[in-house]
Amino acid sequence: MSQTTMIEARPIPARKRRSISWNSREGRGVIYQVVAIASVATLIWLLVRNTLRNMRERGIQSGYDFMGQPFGFDVSETMIPYDVMSTYWTAFSIGLLNTLKVAVIGIVLATILGTLIGVGRFSANFLARKICYGYVEFFRNVPIYLQLLIWYIVFTEILPPFEEAWQAGHFYLSKGGFSFPWPVWKLGQTLALVGLLAGVVGSWMYARKASKHFDLTGQQKPVLLVSLALIVGLALLGWLAGGAPTGWNLPVKGAFQIEEGAAFSPEFLALLLGLVTYTASFIAEIVRSGISSVSLGQHEAAASLGLSKRQSMRLVVLPQALRVIIPPLTSQYLNLTKNSSLAVAIGYPDLVSIANTTLNQTGRAIEALSIVMLVYLTLSLLTSALMNWFNASAAIQER
C-alpha cells in the first residue's frame, strides 16, 4: 500500500511595503529636499513682496496694462502690418518674429556650413583641409560681438551707396541692404508653399522607410532624387492648381533708395552672417569630433564592402557619429538663438531692442524683462525638446 505524503500549501506572504524611516538616508534626503524647496519659495515670495512694496512707495506703476497702449515708435523691419499707433503687443510680436527669423535661418545655414567644414577637416586635399582648419581657429576665437560690429561696418561703410549698387540682373547689393525679386503673392504661391511642406514631410517619411529597407535587406534605394522629385513636384502641382501665377515684384532704383521687391536690411545681414560664421566654427568642431569617435575599423569594414569614401561617410560613419554630434549641437542652437539678443548693438529690431524701447518709454522694467525671459525660456525648451526627439529617432537600434 503506497503512502502519499501530503504537503500543506501555505500562502505566500505579501511583499511588505518599504517604509521610509526618518532616521535613514532616504528619509533625511526627503527632509532636505522639502526644506530646500520651501526656502526657495519663501525667498521668491519675499523678493516679490519687497519689490512690489518698494515700487508702491516710490509711485512706480506695475502691471501689464500698458501692452494695449500705442507703441508710438517706428520699427524699421516688420513682418506684419504696423504703424506708430499699433499697440505694444504688436511691437513685441514684431520683435519675436524678427528674432525667430534670424534664429531659424541662422540655425539652418550654420548647420550646413559647419557640417561641410567639419567633414572638410578629413579631406584628402591638403589645401582644403588647412582652409577648414584655419576657418575654425579664426572665427571660433574672435568674440561674436566684435564679429557683428565688423560685418555691420562692411555693410554700412564699405559697400557702395544705392546709386552705385552692385547689380546682377534684378539683384542689388549696397549700403541699403540686399534687394531681390519677390513673387506677387496669390493663391498659387500659397498652394505651392503647402505643396513644398507636404513634399518635405513626404521625403522625410520616404527616407526613413528607405533606411529601414537598407537595414533589413542591404539594398539601397535612391533617396536624394526621390526626395527632390517629391518636394519640387508637389510644389509645382500646388502652383498649377492655384492658376500658375507668374507675376514678380522687381526691385528698381528710386530717388532715394532701391524700391519694390524684397530686401534684407544691412542690420539683418550683419547679424545673420555674424551668427552663422561664429556658430559654424563650433559646429564644425562638433562634427569633426563626432566623426573621429567612430573607430577606424568601421572605415575599413566599409571599404572592404566596396563602398567609396563618400558612401562610407554617408552610410556608415555619419549615422554612428550622430550619437556624439547631436547633444552638443543642441547647445550651439541654443547659443545662436540667445546670441541673437546682441542685435541691439547694431540696431536690428529684435525682441530685446523692442523691450529696451518699452522700458525707456514706460519705466516697466520688470514687466519688459519678464517678457524677454519668458520668450527665450520658451524658445530654449522647444529647441531642446525637438533636438531630444531627433536624438532619440537618430539613435542606432540594436538588433
Side-chain angles (χ1 to χ4, degrees), residues 167-182:
Q167 181 179 358
H170 294 286
F171 296 85
Y172 297 86
L173 181 62
S174 65
K175 290 182 179 180
F178 177 62
S179 301
F180 51 91
W182 190 254

Side-chain angles (χ1 to χ4, degrees), residues 80 141 156 227 242 270 301 335 371 388 396:
I80 57 177
N141 293 295
T156 57
S227 299
N335 289 338
I371 293 175
N388 288 337
I396 296 178

Side-chain angles (χ1 to χ4, degrees), residues 188-217:
Q189 281 80 10
T190 303
L191 294 180
L193 181 60
V194 173
L196 180 68
L197 296 176
V200 171
V201 174
S203 62
W204 174 75
M205 296 176 63
Y206 174 79
R208 287 181 60 88
K209 186 177 180 180
S211 178
K212 292 180 180 179
H213 178 77
F214 178 77
D215 293 338
L216 293 174
T217 64

Side-chain angles (χ1 to χ4, degrees), residues 19-79:
S19 60
I20 298 178
S21 174
W22 300 112
N23 295 324
S24 64
R25 179 181 298 178
E26 292 84 356
R28 290 194 297 271
V30 172
I31 294 176
Y32 295 153
Q33 293 178 42
V34 171
V35 171
I37 294 175
S39 300
V40 172
T42 303
L43 180 62
I44 294 175
W45 177 74
L46 290 174
L47 180 62
V48 172
R49 189 192 66 172
N50 292 337
T51 301
L52 294 177
R53 184 181 62 186
N54 292 333
M55 292 175 64
R56 285 195 300 269
E57 292 177 353
R58 289 164 175 78
I60 300 176
Q61 295 181 345
S62 62
Y64 295 90
D65 55 300
F66 69 94
M67 295 294 288
Q69 300 174 3
F71 188 64
F73 271 75
D74 189 23
V75 180
S76 58
E77 292 189 45
T78 63
M79 298 178 63

